[in-house]
């Protein structure tokens, strides 16, 4: 379905007004860029819920959600900060605007996800380690609503909210492809989250068995 979004973007969705855009073809990245951002927010929400569940109940499922949310959030985050600069360079002749709040808060979100993923891979599992990473996940989530409204409050280079409709909004064909993309990427992100939750569970179980085996060898 996600591949279909790209195909529809280039073959079905009409091009934007060439007078209003410097690089009309680059706008096609929109159909990949925005659904990727939406999917990353789903992952960051999963990360937040998992972090909260770990702190509140010391829940194993919460820790699995935390790990899966960080990994999937990092993947979609990288997709966003890769596709965005390509569009920006073509349209505004600069890949990044360091004065744009939305761009920079999203970059920090992606960096936090990378920190959580790499940190979990490099540190031994334990309550102290989980507490530290869960705290980062909780406080980092503050950037999600800030990023979502940043373009409305402090619009710089990044466009504001997407409007669907005939009055100043996207054309019907564009809206159809855009909504299809959101649906396709939502299915993809939920499936990836479920898969990563399962993988994290296997990793934890395997690590526990290896610890038990090492203890028996020592005895």
């Amino acid at each position: 379905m996600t591949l279909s979004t790209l195909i529809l973007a280039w073959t079905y969705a009409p091009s934007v007004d060439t007078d209003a855009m410097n690089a009309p073809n680059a706008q096609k990245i929109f159909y990949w860029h925005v659904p990727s951002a939406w999917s990353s927010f789903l992952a960051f929400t999963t990360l937040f819920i998992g972090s909260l569940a770990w702190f509140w109940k010391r829940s194993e499922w919460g820790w699995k959600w935390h790990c899966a949310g960080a990994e999937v959030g990092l993947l979609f985050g990288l997709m966003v900060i890769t596709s965005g600069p390509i569009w920006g360079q073509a349209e505004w002749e600069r890949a990044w605007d360091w004065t744009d709040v939305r761009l920079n808060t999203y970059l920090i979100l992606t960096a936090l996800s990378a920190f959580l993923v790499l940190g979990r891979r490099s540190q031994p599992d334990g309550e102290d380690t989980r507490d530290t990473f869960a705290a980062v996940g909780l406080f980092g989530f503050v950037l999600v609503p800030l990023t979502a409204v940043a373009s409305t409050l402090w619009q710089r280079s990044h466009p504001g909210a997407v409007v669907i409709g005939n009055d100043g909004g996207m054309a019907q064909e564009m809206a159809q492809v855009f909504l299809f993309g959101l649906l396709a990427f939502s299915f993809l992100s939920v499936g990836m989250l479920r898969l990563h939750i399962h993988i994290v569970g296997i990793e934890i179980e395997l690590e526990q068995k290896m610890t038990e085996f090492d203890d028996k060898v020592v005895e």
Side-chain angles (χ1 to χ4, degrees):
M1 289 180 69
T2 53
L3 180 59
S4 298
T5 302
L6 291 179
I7 296 174
L8 290 172
W10 285 100
T11 61
Y12 179 73
S15 297
V16 296
D17 185 359
T18 55
D19 295 329
M21 304 287 284
N22 294 322
N25 287 332
Q27 185 269 343
K28 300 287 187 176
I29 295 177
F30 164 85
Y31 299 102
W32 178 279
H33 179 74
V34 178
S36 296
W38 163 255
S39 296
S40 72
F41 284 156
L42 292 179
F44 293 142
T45 301
T46 302
L47 168 63
F48 172 76
I49 294 173
S51 300
L52 187 62
W54 169 255
F55 264 123
W56 186 23
K57 294 288 188 179
R58 284 293 190 267
S59 171
E60 280 295 318
W61 71 260
W63 179 246
K64 294 175 186 177
W65 279 41
H66 165 95
C67 298
E71 293 176 358
V72 177
L74 174 60
L75 174 62
F76 283 106
L78 291 175
M79 291 168 63
V80 172
I81 64 175
T82 300
S83 58
I86 295 174
W87 184 4
Q89 182 63 43
E91 181 62 32
W92 305 301
E93 297 184 349
R94 61 182 183 277
W96 200 270
D97 183 356
W98 293 103
T99 66
D100 193 298
V101 175
R102 186 171 198 162
L103 297 180
N104 294 300
T105 54
Y106 192 88
L107 180 62
I108 295 172
L109 265 175
T110 306
L112 284 176
S113 295
F115 169 78
L116 293 175
V117 172
L118 296 176
R120 187 176 74 87
R121 299 294 180 184
S122 61
Q123 298 298 318
D125 191 18
E127 285 199 359
D128 291 341
T129 301
R130 293 186 180 189
D131 286 345
T132 300
F133 292 148
V136 174
L138 287 173
F139 288 110
F141 186 76
V142 175
L143 293 172
V144 171
L146 178 61
T147 302
V149 301
S151 290
T152 302
L153 298 178
W154 311 286
Q155 185 167 354
R156 299 282 297 183
S157 298
H158 198 285
V162 176
V163 178
I164 298 177
N166 294 326
D167 299 331
M170 290 188 293
Q172 181 179 358
E173 294 85 354
M174 297 175 70
Q176 290 172 351
V177 177
F178 173 63
L179 293 175
F180 178 82
L182 285 180
L183 181 63
F185 275 75
S186 295
F187 275 116
L188 176 62
S189 59
V190 170
M192 293 183 66
L193 284 167
R194 294 185 63 181
L195 176 62
H196 277 73
I197 288 171
H198 181 65
I199 292 174
V200 172
I202 294 176
E203 290 176 346
I204 293 174
E205 184 178 352
L206 180 60
E207 186 172 350
Q208 290 174 345
K209 290 185 180 297
M210 290 179 63
T211 302
E212 294 173 358
F213 177 77
D214 290 341
D215 291 340
K216 290 180 180 180
V217 171
V218 172
E219 292 175 358

